[in-house]
Amino acid sequence: MENIVAIIVLVLIVILLISTGIKIYNRLVMLHSNTEKAYANIDVLLKQRADELPELLKIVKGYMKYEDGLLTKLVELRTAFLNATKEEDKVKTYNALSSGLAKMMAVAENYPDLKATDSFMALRTRVSELEDHISDRRELFNESITNYNIGIKEFPAVLLSKPLGYREKTLLQISAAEKQYDGIEF
């Protein structure tokens, strides 16, 4: 009789451990998937912005004849962004592209005729809207990353997360240039 009770207790403990392990594993998978989804949402908006950039550059180029270096740099950054395959490379290129775009908008201040064109105003509004959406998505991304990082460090999940290869992820940081940016006036 004692052996049967011991076997039942042992079986219950094994079942409890297995079900807890499955629950932890599923939570880790969900947290990881949420981070990838949040990044994909940002990536979609960054692609839209990159698609808008050639039209904006085409409009601006006619007016900014002396700003060819800046325009060339923006084209190069757009190409680099579209060709980037790693998340870190896309984020780095995104930051540089944002900085260049802000510089271009600031330089546009010196061209009153440019500021008055309907197409420039429409594109500027579109880019501004995309930047707002990107900002919102960055916040959601960072929240997902924070939840993921906490999730892989919590006990008992840490016992499974390390052997399964779940590693801490980096938050999207605001660059020094973005922190110093005071906005664009048109």
Side-chain angles (χ1 to χ4, degrees), residues 129-147:
E129 288 171 356
L130 285 170
E131 292 298 324
D132 288 343
H133 291 305
I134 290 168
S135 176
D136 290 342
R137 297 286 163 79
R138 280 169 79 166
E139 184 176 336
L140 179 62
F141 177 80
N142 282 343
E143 182 179 326
S144 296
I145 293 294
T146 300
N147 289 337

Side-chain angles (χ1 to χ4, degrees), residues 27-170:
R27 183 167 184 270
L28 291 171
V29 169
M30 184 236 358
L31 290 170
H32 180 73
S33 295
N34 283 345
T35 64
E36 291 190 355
K37 175 185 157 197
Y39 180 76
N41 288 340
I42 292 173
D43 202 34
V44 167
L45 291 171
L46 295 176
K47 172 80 168 81
Q48 287 176 359
R49 185 180 72 173
D51 290 345
E52 300 281 341
L53 197 56
E55 191 63 30
L56 185 62
L57 292 174
K58 187 169 42 170
I59 292 167
V60 170
K61 194 170 189 169
Y63 290 91
M64 301 174 128
K65 296 182 188 336
Y66 303 106
E67 310 297 336
D68 272 346
L70 177 60
L71 299 178
T72 302
K73 182 69 174 169
L74 285 171
V75 170
E76 290 170 359
L77 287 170
R78 176 186 180 268
T79 302
F81 171 79
L82 293 174
N83 292 332
T85 54
K86 294 182 181 176
E87 186 177 307
E88 304 87 39
D89 295 339
K90 283 193 174 205
V91 170
K92 185 177 178 182
T93 307
Y94 156 75
N95 286 335
L97 193 56
S98 291
S99 177
L101 194 55
K103 286 178 189 172
M104 184 189 71
M105 294 296 191
V107 168
E109 290 286 320
N110 299 327
Y111 300 90
D113 293 341
L114 171 62
K115 292 190 316 185
T117 64
D118 291 338
S119 53
F120 178 75
M121 294 300 286
L123 278 169
R124 183 201 67 163
T125 300
R126 174 71 179 142
V127 169
S128 179
E129 288 171 356
L130 285 170
E131 292 298 324
D132 288 343
H133 291 305
I134 290 168
S135 176
D136 290 342
R137 297 286 163 79
R138 280 169 79 166
E139 184 176 336
L140 179 62
F141 177 80
N142 282 343
E143 182 179 326
S144 296
I145 293 294
T146 300
N147 289 337
Y148 168 82
N149 287 341
I150 291 169
I152 66 170
K153 293 177 188 173
E154 289 178 324
F155 185 83
V158 71
L159 300 174
L160 280 179
S161 64
K162 296 236 187 238
L164 292 174
Y166 289 97
R167 301 290 177 250
E168 193 168 345
K169 294 187 176 209
T170 305

